[in-house]
Amino acid sequence: MARPKSSDAVYLKIAAVLRDRIHEGRLKPGDKLPSEAEVSAEFGVARGTAREALKKLETDGLVDTLPAVGRIVRSTEQADKTPRYRRIAAELIAAIEAGDYPPGSQLPGEAQLAEQFHASRNTIRSALGELDGRGLVEVVHGRGRIILARTEDR
């Protein structure tokens, strides 16, 4: 078996320890992970190594990084590989289809959606781009994003 480079092995070992804490329930969905500095101090490694370990958990779909908050443990239903913006877009599409946002109504603004979904505004913009691409919303200057009538409704 090929042995990983020692620098790789260290961050992978740290990621494995943190992954075990998540799976054992010591870090629960919604909990904030330790910061890079805290991981660095706990494991006696450089901050870059700690950062790589934390990035590995995000790549594996176990945590989300929220601006001005830090890394948060995902819930089990979130821990799939679907990009976050697509999951948010799917929720918004479902709400539109359910009539929560009828044609002609205004979709909440980016800041409000970012707060509602605990996501960055960039993530929200990507989700809204999905809605734009599907022809579900139209940007109206001075009003924001307006829900369009579905093709079969027109």
Side-chain angles (χ1 to χ4, degrees):
M1 175 181 348
R3 190 172 161 200
K5 294 184 291 186
S6 62
S7 61
D8 289 343
V10 172
Y11 90 85
L12 291 173
K13 286 178 184 176
I14 294 168
V17 168
L18 295 172
R19 184 180 299 105
D20 288 345
R21 290 178 186 171
I22 292 169
H23 291 309
E24 293 167 359
R26 289 190 279 161
L27 287 171
K28 296 174 180 45
D31 283 355
K32 186 175 174 188
L33 264 67
S35 68
E36 291 172 5
E38 291 167 331
V39 170
S40 177
E42 178 181 349
F43 292 95
V45 297
R47 193 163 173 171
T49 303
R51 182 178 304 119
E52 288 303 312
L54 293 167
K55 277 186 188 177
K56 176 71 174 140
L57 296 175
E58 187 168 10
T59 301
D60 291 347
L62 295 172
V63 302
D64 283 317
T65 301
L66 302 178
V69 175
R71 290 175 179 90
I72 305 295
V73 178
R74 285 184 176 179
S75 65
T76 50
E77 55 270 3
Q78 290 178 315
D80 63 24
K81 295 292 183 179
T82 305
R84 183 113 197 274
Y85 77 92
R86 287 208 170 130
R87 292 193 309 268
I88 293 170
E91 284 189 46
L92 291 170
I93 290 167
I96 291 168
E97 289 174 350
D100 296 342
Y101 299 108
S105 68
Q106 181 180 357
L107 201 61
E110 289 176 3
Q112 188 177 351
L113 289 170
E115 187 175 316
Q116 175 184 338
F117 288 102
H118 304 289
S120 71
R121 286 181 73 155
N122 282 337
T123 300
I124 296 301
R125 283 186 196 111
S126 295
L128 293 171
E130 292 278 307
L131 274 61
D132 290 337
R134 292 176 185 231
L136 297 172
V137 296
E138 173 183 42
V139 178
V140 176
H141 184 71
R143 289 193 58 211
R145 287 181 176 80
I146 304 301
I147 306 301
L148 296 174
R150 291 191 303 256
T151 308
E152 64 266 16
D153 294 344
R154 292 185 205 163

